[in-house]
Amino acid sequence: MSINKEIKKVTTNTLQKMKAAGEKISMLTAYDFSFAKIIDGAGIDVLLVGDSASNVMAGHETTVPFTLENIIYHAQCVVRGIDRCLVVVDMPFGTYQSNSDIALASAIRIMKETGGHSVKMEGGEEILDSVKRIVAAGIPVMGHLGLTPQSIYKFGTYTVRAKEEDEANKLRRDAKLLEEAGCFAIVLEKIPAALAKEVSLSLSIPTIGIGAGADCDGQVLVMHDMLGINTEFKPRFLRQYLNIHELSSAAVKQYIRDVKEKSFPNEKEQY
Ligand code: KIV
């Protein structure tokens, strides 16, 4: 039987055991109570309250404007909807980059005010002191390397990262440093599959890939992309499982027709 089916609550230890057993880790984003309930009920291992909420929930072009208050609100909603999965909460841009005091205070607020189980932070060597202090405070940290959307204005584009040897070497080094600092897992976003495989094999903690190939220890997608709520975003790595956009639009058009034609509500739909 899979480790996933055996356990009542997924913890960071469960993920470690899954890596050791070669069982892949499933992770999706969620931002609200209702979808968190559906996704947790379906048996997901990890839910990420991602700062991609800045794009798909708030309509911002980047994740940069998202605030600590914003993520705390979404995480509170998600935590109310789950029973079993591990909840990871993104630390928004500006809540941890300045210094480790601010980083620790932000992580503590997230843990105390949301009921989430862990936090995620983008970056390697640059944020190591903060990662160590947050881990030392008893808060599990998930790392995030490769394409780190909070640094979009430094990169200038959302294209594949670490194709050049210098950047690949920095990523290899950063992954080791994050593992040594106590991270329980690392997201690898949009990097060559061969590099993701090498890094995954070199670490004892699990890697979770998005656009990083099949050899990561788990996979993550943004819920709005995989369910086809947001149909404008079509990167090569994305598999779209549903087209909620089309289904919802057709349903709303039918509702409008029914109201205009006075076929809704009918006799059974009134008191
Ligand atoms: O914010 C987010 O949704 C993420 C995932 C893409 C990993 O960081």
Side-chain angles (χ1 to χ4, degrees), residues 27 29 31 48-53 63 90 120 122 144 149 187 189 210 220-222:
M27 171 161 142
T29 64
Y31 318 99
L48 168 66
V49 185
D51 63 353
S52 48
T63 56
D90 249 341
K120 177 165 83 56
E122 296 183 5
H144 183 154
V187 167
E189 179 164 354
I210 174 163
V220 56
L221 285 175
V222 168

Side-chain angles (χ1 to χ4, degrees), residues 3-233:
I3 292 166
N4 171 311
K5 294 219 169 77
E6 276 173 19
I7 48 110
K8 284 207 176 76
K9 299 253 182 216
V10 180
T11 66
T12 56
N13 281 339
T14 318
L15 305 189
Q16 190 65 56
K17 282 189 198 147
M18 289 170 83
K19 170 156 180 146
E23 181 176 337
K24 297 285 186 184
I25 297 162
S26 61
M27 171 161 142
L28 280 173
T29 64
Y31 318 99
D32 73 323
F33 168 81
S34 301
F35 271 112
K37 203 169 164 71
I38 293 171
I39 299 172
D40 182 61
I44 201 81
D45 297 312
V46 186
L47 266 184
L48 168 66
V49 185
D51 63 353
S52 48
S54 182
N55 309 106
V56 299
M57 298 299 289
H60 293 301
E61 215 167 280
T62 72
T63 56
V64 172
F66 223 57
T67 65
L68 193 56
E69 281 69 29
N70 293 154
I71 207 81
I72 286 173
Y73 168 74
H74 286 286
Q76 287 169 337
C77 298
V78 165
V79 167
R80 282 183 214 120
I82 67 108
D83 210 20
R84 185 186 160 276
C85 66
L86 181 83
V87 176
V88 182
V89 184
D90 249 341
M91 294 185 64
F93 177 70
T95 68
Y96 61 97
Q97 288 88 350
S98 322
N99 63 55
S100 65
D101 287 340
I102 290 176
L104 181 58
S106 304
I108 288 174
R109 267 199 73 190
I110 288 174
M111 297 300 285
K112 282 182 91 78
E113 295 180 33
T114 71
H117 310 130
S118 58
V119 298
K120 177 165 83 56
M121 303 162 74
E122 296 183 5
E125 197 172 4
E126 317 74 29
I127 59 159
L128 215 58
D129 283 347
S130 300
V131 172
K132 285 181 186 165
R133 285 193 66 195
I134 294 170
V135 171
I139 301 172
V141 176
M142 177 179 272
H144 183 154
L145 297 172
L147 176 62
T148 46
Q150 292 177 10
S151 308
I152 182 58
Y153 292 115
K154 182 172 112 190
F155 296 145
T157 90
Y158 287 104
T159 53
V160 180
R161 304 302 317 172
K163 277 160 77 178
E164 307 299 330
E165 208 42 30
D166 275 1
E167 197 178 335
N169 281 336
K170 173 166 168 41
L171 191 142
R172 289 180 183 102
R173 221 175 29 249
D174 282 343
K176 271 280 163 213
L177 289 171
L178 289 175
E179 175 175 61
E180 284 160 16
C183 282
F184 71 89
I186 302 177
V187 167
L188 297 176
E189 179 164 354
K190 238 177 162 183
I191 63 170
L195 177 61
K197 177 177 181 179
E198 182 198 322
V199 170
S200 302
L201 288 172
S202 75
L203 299 179
S204 61
I205 56 171
T207 59
I208 314 284
I210 174 163
D215 291 306
C216 293
D217 302 300
Q219 298 291 328
V220 56
L221 285 175
V222 168
M223 180 199 94
H224 282 58
D225 302 334
M226 65 85 74
L227 292 181
I229 299 173
N230 168 24
T231 50
E232 281 146 39
F233 183 62

